[in-house]
Amino acid sequence: MSERKKVTIRTLFDKVVKQKPISWLTCYDYPTAYFQEKAGIDMILVGDSLGMTMLGYDSTLPVTMNDMIRHTQAVRRGAPMVFLVGDMPYMSYQPSVETAIRNAGRFMAEAFCDSIKLEGGAEMADRIEGIVSAGIPAMGHLGLTPQSAAALGGFRVQGRGAAQAKKIIDDAKALENAGAFAILLEMVPDRVTKIITERAEDCIILSLGSGPDAHGQLLIYHDMFGLYPKFKPRMAKVFGNAGEVILNGLTQYAKEVSDKTFPAPENWFTIKDEEYEELLDLLK
Ligand code: KIV
């Protein structure tokens, strides 16, 4: 039984009012979710980044709704009290408002999410509006939106030019007006984030590499523990090198099996002498 109280939208808005920053991490599996909840993290994102961090693809595009649902269910089992956000994968909301509502509904009904997140600006406002009118809390995602990385010219900071920054600010307002309760800004310059946060009236602004002035911070779990071997984004802070600990342990295991120092007697099970004698008799 978790000792924590359920984190709800109300809890998150209360933190904003009290100017207490919200902590948010990605997570894709049961044991990590268990530890994140125990550590007091407010929100978990089951991101479609799992395509890269867990499934080894080079982008998030191949991730399906079924992939997302399975991982999100595991996370919910490990973290029943956190505020859980399901990330709508590529083509689960782009085709139409109806597709968006149906897939958002799957996150709620099958994986017990508290909200969904989808990428895109004003052009996605009708998707947000449709999902919200179906009674599902919806979050927007602006700046670097990995599902559109090809159109954006790769994984790069968005909004460094004044015109592009203005577009992100306008998009944020369009999403808020469409009913988004929160917006994630990914790799947006700090002063642009500050403007968006100051202008937000009824919307929580969250930052991934977008500076300290948002209402909360997101990190990719695999980046913070050295668990993604292909690269580490500049903005990520490494809080511990679990990748190195695991690699050392695996190397040691391979060595001990090879030189027969593993297993030791405490690592196996025995049979009582009398049972063993009886067994030998039975085998005669
Ligand atoms: O999929 C994900 O983890 C995300 C983050 C990169 C924000 O959307």
Side-chain angles (χ1 to χ4, degrees):
M1 214 16 208
S2 176
E3 298 127 33
R4 290 187 58 184
K5 270 182 74 181
K6 176 84 186 93
V7 181
T8 64
I9 282 205
R10 216 22 48 233
T11 323
L12 300 176
F13 275 101
D14 279 353
K15 286 195 98 166
V16 170
V17 169
K18 291 178 184 149
Q19 299 188 355
K20 290 189 172 168
I22 294 165
S23 55
W24 190 20
L25 287 177
T26 61
C27 181
Y28 320 99
D29 61 79
Y30 169 84
T32 311
Y34 172 85
F35 288 123
Q36 290 193 11
E37 175 151 312
K38 219 170 163 51
I41 302 302
D42 296 310
M43 298 171 66
I44 284 179
L45 171 68
V46 183
D48 63 352
S49 51
L50 69 81
M52 299 167 79
T53 53
M54 301 297 286
L55 303 178
Y57 295 121
D58 285 331
S59 80
T60 59
L61 303 192
V63 175
T64 65
M65 268 305 292
N66 286 347
D67 292 332
M68 293 304 301
I69 294 291
R70 192 151 179 88
H71 283 269
T72 310
Q73 287 170 333
V75 168
R76 183 46 108 196
R77 286 191 284 270
M81 297 299 174
V82 298
F83 190 90
L84 183 60
V85 183
D87 200 14
M88 309 260 314
Y90 187 55
M91 288 301 143
S92 69
Y93 58 97
Q94 288 93 341
S96 68
V97 175
E98 188 188 326
T99 313
I101 296 173
R102 282 194 192 286
N103 285 317
R106 286 194 65 190
F107 275 109
M108 306 302 281
E110 297 175 39
F112 310 117
C113 281
D114 296 296
S115 127
I116 59 82
K117 169 174 91 57
L118 57 80
E119 299 181 8
E123 72 285 359
M124 287 296 152
D126 61 348
R127 306 318 194 261
I128 294 276
E129 206 171 310
I131 291 168
V132 171
S133 62
I136 301 170
M139 179 189 297
H141 178 168
L142 296 171
L144 172 64
T145 45
Q147 290 174 20
S148 319
L152 298 175
F155 290 79
R156 53 179 63 230
V157 179
Q158 300 295 312
R160 273 198 162 135
Q164 202 189 32
K166 166 85 166 51
K167 171 151 178 18
I168 296 172
I169 292 167
D170 292 345
D171 279 342
K173 204 32 94 180
L175 295 180
E176 179 175 356
N177 289 340
F181 81 97
I183 297 170
L184 168 67
L185 301 177
E186 179 172 353
M187 290 174 75
V188 168
D190 55 353
R191 286 187 283 183
V192 179
T193 299
K194 189 163 193 282
I195 293 172
I196 293 171
T197 308
E198 284 168 357
R199 291 185 179 192
E201 287 157 273
D202 195 20
C203 190
I204 300 170
I205 307 300
L206 298 150
S207 157
L208 172 57
S210 301
D213 293 307
H215 300 121
Q217 297 293 326
L218 170 67
L219 267 185
I220 307 290
Y221 176 80
H222 282 59
D223 296 336
M224 67 188 289
F225 290 110
L227 289 170
Y228 188 61
K230 289 191 180 162
F231 61 86
K232 179 192 96 57
R234 190 182 72 75
M235 70 225 183
K237 176 172 173 181
V238 177
F239 283 78
N241 203 334
E244 198 173 291
V245 171
I246 291 169
L247 181 58
N248 288 342
L250 294 171
T251 311
Q252 181 69 14
Y253 170 71
K255 179 180 170 300
E256 289 189 17
V257 170
S258 160
D259 65 20
K260 300 189 181 173
T261 51
F262 179 89
E266 66 270 23
N267 306 121
W268 68 66
F269 300 93
T270 57
I271 182 171
K272 284 190 176 137
D273 289 348
E274 58 270 29
E275 295 296 333
Y276 185 62
E277 293 307 325
E278 192 179 330
L279 171 64
L280 292 184
D281 279 347
L282 288 172
L283 293 175
K284 268 181 198 157

